[in-house]
């Protein structure tokens, strides 16, 4: 049912989605949806929405092998480029973009859920990146006096234009070559400020 809810909510948004659509997509009765997500109809829909987002947030984030070792890299430029390409491709997945748009649109209705989304998404990335940059600074490989600021800067350089454009222009498809070129330039700019 959560997979069905994911499809229905992404297609119709919170307001447009109905429990009937979820039940039909899941191949179950409406009563089955009610039995699993008890309450009044609006309460069931909200409970289902929260469960669907929580399920998605709890999924593994397809961590790249470099996630654990980039701080000890012997070729920081090449490894950051590889990771930046991976990170940008991951964030730009169509289903994730659609969920991000919906979460932004529903942040005022579901502030705790939006907070959980941010904590388990961007904040987790910032912590990972800050750890790399602190280690690279300690080794003397890069000059990073504030790893937290550097982590947020790196993330924004990598994601900025593709993600912003994708939020406003769902019809615009970035090619793999375009994303790789953007990621490579982001790494070049970042390293220019931290070598």
């Amino acid at each position: 049912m959560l997979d069905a809810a994911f499809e229905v909510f992404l297609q119709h948004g919170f307001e447009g989605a109905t429990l009937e659509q979820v039940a039909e997509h899941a191949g179950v009765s409406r009563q089955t949806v009610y039995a699993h997500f008890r309450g009044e109809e609006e309460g069931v829909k909200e409970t289902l929405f929260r469960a669907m987002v929580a399920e998605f947030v709890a999924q593994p984030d397809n961590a790249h092998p470099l996630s654990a070792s980039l701080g000890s890299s012997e070729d920081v430029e090449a490894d950051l480029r590889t990771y930046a390409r991976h990170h940008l491709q991951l964030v730009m997945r169509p289903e994730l973009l659609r969920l991000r748009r919906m979460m932004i649109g529903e942040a005022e209705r579901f502030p705790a859920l939006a907070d959980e989304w941010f904590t388990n998404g961007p904040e987790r990335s910032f912590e990972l990146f800050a750890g790399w940059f602190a280690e690279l600074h300690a080794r003397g490989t890069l000059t990073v006096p504030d790893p937290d600021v550097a982590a947020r800067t790196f993330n924004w350089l990598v994601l900025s234009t593709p993600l912003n454009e994708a939020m406003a222009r769902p019809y615009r498809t970035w090619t793999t070559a375009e994303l790789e070129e953007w990621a490579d330039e982001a790494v070049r700019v970042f390293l220019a400020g931290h070598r």
Side-chain angles (χ1 to χ4, degrees):
M1 280 185 283
L2 292 176
D3 290 341
F6 186 79
E7 293 300 321
V8 170
F9 281 120
L10 288 189
Q11 184 174 357
H12 301 286
F14 180 82
E15 287 295 327
T18 67
L19 295 177
E20 289 82 4
Q21 292 167 327
V22 173
E24 182 179 332
H25 197 76
V28 299
S29 70
R30 185 175 170 188
Q31 289 73 26
T32 301
V33 176
Y34 273 91
H36 283 84
F37 303 96
R38 299 193 195 313
E40 298 301 319
E41 183 161 350
E42 188 63 18
V44 170
K45 185 174 170 180
E46 288 182 5
T47 301
L48 180 58
F49 181 75
R50 289 176 197 276
M52 180 269 301
V53 172
E55 173 79 9
F56 189 86
V57 166
Q59 291 178 6
D61 62 357
N62 299 321
H64 192 277
L66 285 170
S67 297
S69 63
L70 212 143
S72 59
S73 173
E74 295 302 322
D75 189 345
V76 174
E77 185 172 354
D79 288 346
L80 271 180
R81 236 188 352 258
T82 297
Y83 190 87
R85 288 177 173 196
H86 163 78
H87 185 55
L88 188 52
Q89 290 280 356
L90 189 65
V91 170
M92 294 292 287
R93 290 178 299 160
E95 71 277 8
L96 188 55
L97 291 172
R98 290 169 64 201
L99 183 59
R100 182 183 293 263
R101 280 188 211 99
M102 187 169 54
M103 286 305 306
I104 291 168
E106 297 297 338
E108 290 183 20
R109 183 193 315 254
F110 300 103
L113 200 55
D115 186 60
E116 182 181 351
W117 164 268
F118 191 80
T119 298
N120 287 294
E123 287 288 347
R124 194 164 49 186
S125 293
F126 300 154
E127 289 172 11
L128 174 68
F129 303 161
W132 298 342
F133 299 139
E135 187 175 346
L136 290 166
H137 179 78
R139 290 175 50 215
T141 305
L142 296 179
T143 302
V144 188
D146 190 333
D148 292 327
V149 170
R152 292 169 192 274
T153 302
F154 175 74
N155 192 63
W156 185 245
L157 285 170
V158 172
L159 300 180
S160 60
T161 296
L163 184 57
N164 269 350
E165 187 170 354
M167 290 295 94
R169 296 178 171 164
Y171 51 84
R172 161 71 156 107
T173 302
W174 284 69
T175 66
T176 298
E178 288 174 317
L179 291 176
E180 288 180 353
E181 183 178 349
W182 185 268
D184 292 352
E185 179 64 6
V187 169
R188 186 193 69 76
V189 170
F190 180 82
L191 289 178
H194 293 283
R195 279 228 161 101

